[in-house]
């Protein structure tokens, strides 16, 4: 009888051990919830990239394997709009979730784009994504083109970013200056290696911040004119120097994705990619393609404000989904606020929460309309 009881106990222990192993395997494959860890947020922004300039949006002469992989592993938003067809107002809207007109910034005119001579910037009474996430304990970095003010209190490190590296305005403005924090470290900027250095800085920030949630804002200067590419990419694209610059931005995206995978952060990180406005068509073969849409940068027709957008959030966003619902850059702040458990600013927010779309609910219609100015 004793031997029989011992056999039964041994069998039960074996079953319990097998069940525990199976449960552990299931838990390890289950996406972490915000209660376990707040997700990392990465937003990669191209400058003057057209709707038709990446492979998954129809480009043929320009090869973008990493962006195409993002689309295959996530969501492609095909009716995604920038608030403005020029730099400063489009970035102000992205950062605040508000139409730039509410901040006294004309959304249409190049004359409203900040230069290094301006002593103003994005109004300090506005709450930025970086400030909201920093208040939630996020490590924050901006690497690339800022274009929302170069003097205190308008600089990136004044506006919720722990770290800044980049040119604080458009790369065609002189003098070209590369900043680390608030210090000028290079003048003039060696722009041939700029995209490469942005990628290195981005990966370095991810490595330093892997132990806590982080927000990485990565607004590339390319493919804004003047166009540059490193020796590795120069002369390699069938679309000339413009294609070279875009293909190097695509490579930089690949470096970020590879770092996430190597550090085990793939499933903890929401990665988004878009452009601030459409292509600067005045520059001929130094400009991109609006993919058949009318006009480009500086114009409120579709080609000026409808931009490509990709979202990859492994375990949350279904793979290979195409979403035709109306969405905009101003939707990012309220969506991120919901995801990260952050309160919305008290001011009127024009963006809407598009998390249902990111989760693959194509029946949802969070945005009913979008204003052009």
């Amino acid at each position: 009888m004793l031997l029989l009881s011992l056999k039964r106990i041994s069998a039960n222990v074996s079953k319990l051990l097998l069940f525990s192993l199976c449960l552990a395997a299931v838990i390890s494959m289950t996406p972490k919830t915000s209660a376990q860890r707040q997700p990392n947020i990465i937003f990669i922004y191209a400058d003057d990239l057209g709707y038709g300039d990446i492979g998954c949006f129809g480009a043929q002469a320009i090869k973008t394997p990493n962006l195409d992989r993002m689309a295959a592993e996530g969501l492609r938003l095909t009716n995604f709009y920038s608030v403005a067809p020029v730099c400063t107002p489009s970035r102000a809207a992205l950062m605040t979730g508000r139409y730039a007109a509410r901040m006294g910034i004309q959304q249409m005119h190049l004359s409203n784009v900040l230069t290094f001579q301006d002593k103003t910037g994005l109004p300090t009474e506005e709450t930025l994504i970086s400030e909201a996430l920093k208040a939630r304990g996020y490590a924050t970095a901006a690497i690339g083109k800022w274009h929302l003010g170069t003097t205190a209190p308008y600089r990136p490190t004044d506006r919720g970013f722990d770290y800044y590296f980049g040119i604080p305005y458009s790369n065609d403005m002189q003098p070209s200056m590369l900043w680390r924090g608030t210090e000028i470290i290079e003048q003039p900027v060696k722009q041939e290696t700029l995209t490469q250095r942005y990628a290195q800085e981005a990966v370095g920030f991810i490595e330093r911040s892997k132990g806590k949630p982080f927000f990485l804002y990565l607004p590339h200067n390319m493919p804004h004119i003047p166009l540059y590419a490193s020796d590795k990419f120069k002369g390699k694209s069938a679309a000339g120097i413009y294609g070279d610059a875009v293909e190097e931005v695509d490579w930089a995206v690949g470096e970020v994705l590879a770092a996430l995978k190597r550090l085990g952060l793939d499933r903890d990180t929401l990665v988004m990619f878009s452009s601030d406005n459409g292509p600067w068509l005045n520059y001929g073969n130094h400009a991109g393609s609006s993919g058949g849409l009318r006009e480009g940068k500086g114009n409120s027709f579709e080609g000026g404000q409808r931009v490509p957008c990709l979202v990859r959030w492994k375990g949350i966003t279904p793979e290979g989904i195409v979403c035709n619902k109306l969405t905009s850059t101003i939707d990012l702040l309220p969506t991120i606020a919901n995801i990260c458990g952050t309160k919305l600013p008290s001011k009127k927010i024009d963006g809407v929460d598009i998390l249902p779309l990111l989760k693959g609910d194509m029946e949802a219609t969070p945005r009913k309309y979008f204003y052009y100015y």
Side-chain angles (χ1 to χ4, degrees):
M1 288 292 294
L2 178 59
L3 180 62
L4 183 60
S5 297
L6 288 173
K7 284 183 178 180
R8 285 177 178 172
I9 291 171
S10 177
N12 288 335
V13 168
S14 298
K15 289 178 182 179
L16 182 60
L17 179 60
L18 180 61
F19 175 77
S20 299
L21 290 172
C22 291
L23 182 61
V26 169
I27 291 172
S28 69
M29 293 186 291
T30 302
K32 293 178 180 178
T33 66
S34 57
Q36 293 171 296
R37 174 181 170 137
Q38 293 170 299
N40 310 310
I41 308 291
I42 298 178
F43 187 80
I44 306 171
Y45 217 19
D47 194 353
D48 293 359
L49 182 78
Y51 190 83
D53 285 335
I54 58 179
C56 54
F57 277 81
Q60 296 183 345
I62 302 173
K63 305 304 180 186
T64 55
N66 294 297
L67 290 169
D68 296 346
R69 178 161 62 91
M70 264 192 74
E73 294 177 351
L75 179 68
R76 181 158 55 96
L77 294 168
T78 59
N79 277 304
F80 186 80
Y81 288 84
S82 175
V83 156
V86 292
C87 303
T88 296
S90 64
R91 292 159 195 271
L94 167 73
M95 284 283 113
T96 63
R98 287 159 50 82
Y99 288 115
R102 291 194 188 277
M103 297 172 262
I105 304 173
Q106 294 184 52
Q107 300 191 177
M108 181 66 185
H109 302 292
L110 286 169
S111 61
N112 236 316
V113 171
L114 292 172
T115 72
F116 69 94
Q117 296 171 318
D118 290 304
K119 304 303 181 186
T120 61
L122 181 60
T124 55
E125 60 267 24
E126 300 292 338
T127 301
L128 279 59
I129 296 175
S130 50
E131 293 168 328
L133 291 180
K134 186 177 175 67
R136 286 287 290 165
Y138 273 68
T140 56
I143 297 170
K145 175 181 174 179
W146 175 238
H147 219 168
L148 295 174
T150 58
T151 60
Y154 307 110
R155 301 163 301 184
T157 49
D158 300 319
R159 305 307 300 270
F161 286 104
D162 301 320
Y163 180 73
Y164 176 66
F165 179 90
I167 300 178
Y169 39 72
S170 292
N171 66 317
D172 61 333
M173 295 178 179
Q174 299 299 324
S176 65
M177 298 182 290
L178 185 66
W179 289 16
R180 187 185 301 279
T182 59
E183 178 187 358
I184 299 170
I185 62 170
E186 186 175 293
Q187 184 181 345
V189 181
K190 299 172 184 175
Q191 295 199 45
E192 293 84 355
T193 61
L194 196 57
T195 300
Q196 183 181 83
R197 285 187 283 174
Y198 284 172
Q200 292 169 347
E201 290 283 333
V203 170
F205 171 73
I206 293 170
E207 290 173 341
R208 295 192 303 272
S209 308
K210 62 184 179 182
K212 63 184 297 188
F214 61 80
F215 171 48
L216 170 61
Y217 175 47
L218 181 53
H220 285 281
N221 284 94
M222 295 296 125
H224 191 288
I225 57 92
L227 297 166
Y228 292 93
S230 68
D231 291 340
K232 181 179 178 181
F233 290 90
K234 195 171 183 178
K236 300 297 173 63
S237 169
I241 184 62
Y242 182 88
D244 297 342
V246 174
E247 291 187 4
E248 188 154 24
V249 169
D250 176 80
W251 166 84
V253 171
E255 291 296 289
V256 169
L257 297 180
L260 293 176
K261 185 174 183 178
R262 172 169 52 83
L263 297 169
L265 300 174
D266 249 354
R267 300 180 75 85
D268 295 324
T269 308
L270 167 60
V271 185
M272 295 169 283
F273 176 90
S274 191
S275 176
D276 63 342
N277 46 249
W280 209 343
L281 299 179
N282 296 4
Y283 285 88
N285 62 4
H286 276 222
S289 165
S290 57
L293 303 176
R294 185 177 179 180
E295 292 291 348
K297 177 176 178 172
N299 196 295
S300 277
F301 286 115
E302 290 282 288
Q305 291 184 233
R306 189 172 171 186
V307 289
C309 183
L310 303 172
V311 180
R312 193 194 80 155
W313 191 4
K314 289 208 164 202
I316 303 296
T317 300
E319 294 191 355
I321 298 295
V322 177
C323 176
N324 298 316
K325 295 298 179 68
L326 185 63
T327 49
S328 171
T329 53
I330 51 177
D331 299 334
L332 299 185
L333 184 142
T335 304
I336 290 171
N338 181 18
I339 291 169
C340 301
T342 303
K343 289 183 179 180
L344 287 175
S346 58
K347 289 197 170 194
K348 165 66 177 174
I349 299 298
D350 298 299
V352 298
D353 180 5
I354 60 169
L355 183 57
L357 298 178
L358 303 192
K359 289 183 174 181
D361 180 6
M362 295 301 109
E363 298 301 316
T365 308
R367 174 164 289 285
K368 309 297 184 190
Y369 50 81
F370 179 77
Y371 288 120
Y372 289 80
Y373 288 86

